[in-house]
Amino acid sequence: MRLAGSLHTQSEVTDMHQPTPVPPTIVLVHGAFTDASSWAGVISLLRAAGSRVCAPANPLRGLTQDAAYIRSVVRDVGVPVVLVGHGYGGAVITHAATDGDNVVALCYVAAFGLDAGECLLDITNRFAAMPVADAIFTAALPTLFPGGSDAELYIREERFPQVYAADLPSRVKNVMSVAQRPIARSALTGRSGAPAWVTKPSWYAVATADQVLNPTAQRFMAQRMAATERVLHGSHAVVLSQPGAVAAMIREAAGQDAGRGDGNGLRHTL
């Protein structure tokens, strides 16, 4: 005699032996003029929701070198990854994720999503100039290392608060203005390889009050990659001013929210 409670269908038995899917690790790549601390609010929210997060230091030395470094980070993570880039970090993840088999989705936050053969200047020169254009200055470096950068770019300290982070508290943007991480001038002309967004689902948060990367350029890149769009009314520092909206988009890309998008070009607004 069999007890009724011990009966299982074949599908139920099979399901019991299926491995539990590993949730994606979120890898956050910062952009120029800042560091990984720019993700602080986003990291706190993602970790509170149970996500594993990695926020490496983007070297900001050049597209090829930076992408190679981030590619090695992603490879070492081993498990599925959602790769997120802010500003220049978007160009880095685009180049780095092409052969990243464990990258399951890409997220761009006011970021460069370059096409094959493009550089940052190709995008910025295609659209109306932004206030950052006349706020940047070049600092020459002594040649300490063979093949090292010969010049770096900064935003003028007195212009940084308004140009980069107008929607942050004064005490925060003033600190950021003196704690800038410069980007090598050669990073502006580094050419991207085949873009990962051609084969991987992508999300894009457009910052409508951005004075660094033209919002029209952001929309152009988002639509070109058929990304699921989010519209955030914030500055280039939107990762700090609106961490909740940014974290929500990332969790959606990771498949951890009920409102998950499908990456096929649906447009939404937060």
Side-chain angles (χ1 to χ4, degrees):
M1 176 183 295
R2 290 186 177 181
L3 297 176
S6 67
L7 297 178
H8 298 283
T9 66
Q10 183 61 43
S11 62
E12 289 173 330
V13 171
T14 301
D15 288 343
M16 286 190 295
H17 290 86
Q18 290 292 330
T20 302
V22 177
T25 291
I26 314 300
V27 177
L28 305 168
V29 181
H30 67 82
F33 313 117
T34 187
D35 58 26
S37 67
S38 61
W39 294 108
V42 173
I43 291 170
S44 294
L45 292 170
L46 290 174
R47 287 173 60 87
S51 297
R52 183 184 174 203
V53 184
C54 174
N58 186 357
L60 305 180
R61 298 297 84 193
L63 187 55
T64 300
Q65 304 95 304
D66 298 341
Y69 176 72
I70 295 302
R71 188 181 297 117
S72 70
V73 170
V74 170
R75 187 180 299 118
D76 288 346
V77 169
V79 299
V81 162
V82 172
L83 198 49
V84 187
H86 172 231
Y88 166 72
V92 174
I93 70 169
T94 298
H95 194 54
T98 302
D99 58 355
D101 293 339
N102 60 322
V103 177
V104 297
L106 301 169
C107 287
Y108 296 81
V109 184
F112 287 91
L114 301 180
D115 205 347
E118 276 184 343
C119 69
L120 270 64
L121 290 182
D122 290 335
I123 294 296
T124 58
N125 291 340
R126 183 170 181 172
F127 298 88
M130 300 304 291
V132 74
D134 62 4
I136 287 178
F137 71 95
T138 301
L141 292 179
T143 306
L144 298 177
F145 304 102
S149 172
D150 61 348
E152 294 182 315
L153 304 177
Y154 292 83
I155 298 176
R156 296 186 185 281
E157 184 179 329
E158 70 276 10
R159 298 285 306 281
F160 187 99
Q162 185 60 37
V163 167
Y164 191 98
D167 53 354
L168 291 178
S170 294
R171 60 181 177 78
V172 175
K173 56 190 177 186
N174 290 337
V175 169
M176 292 178 69
S177 69
V178 299
Q180 295 181 55
R181 277 199 58 209
I183 185 170
R185 183 170 57 185
S186 58
L188 304 185
T189 55
R191 300 285 171 182
S192 181
W197 46 258
V198 170
T199 58
K200 300 181 187 296
S202 301
W203 277 252
Y204 198 112
V206 175
T208 60
D210 199 328
Q211 296 189 51
V212 174
L213 178 55
N214 192 320
T216 302
Q218 295 180 39
R219 293 188 182 95
F220 163 76
M221 290 182 284
Q223 291 169 12
R224 181 172 65 176
M225 66 177 69
T228 300
E229 288 184 42
R230 296 289 182 264
V231 178
L232 306 183
H233 303 294
S235 71
H236 193 66
V238 71
V239 292
L240 277 167
S241 63
Q242 297 193 43
V246 173
M249 182 184 74
I250 294 169
R251 284 181 53 77
E252 181 180 306
Q256 295 170 325
D257 277 350
R260 182 182 183 183
D262 57 8
N264 66 357
L266 295 177
R267 291 353 187 224
H268 300 286
T269 300
L270 284 179

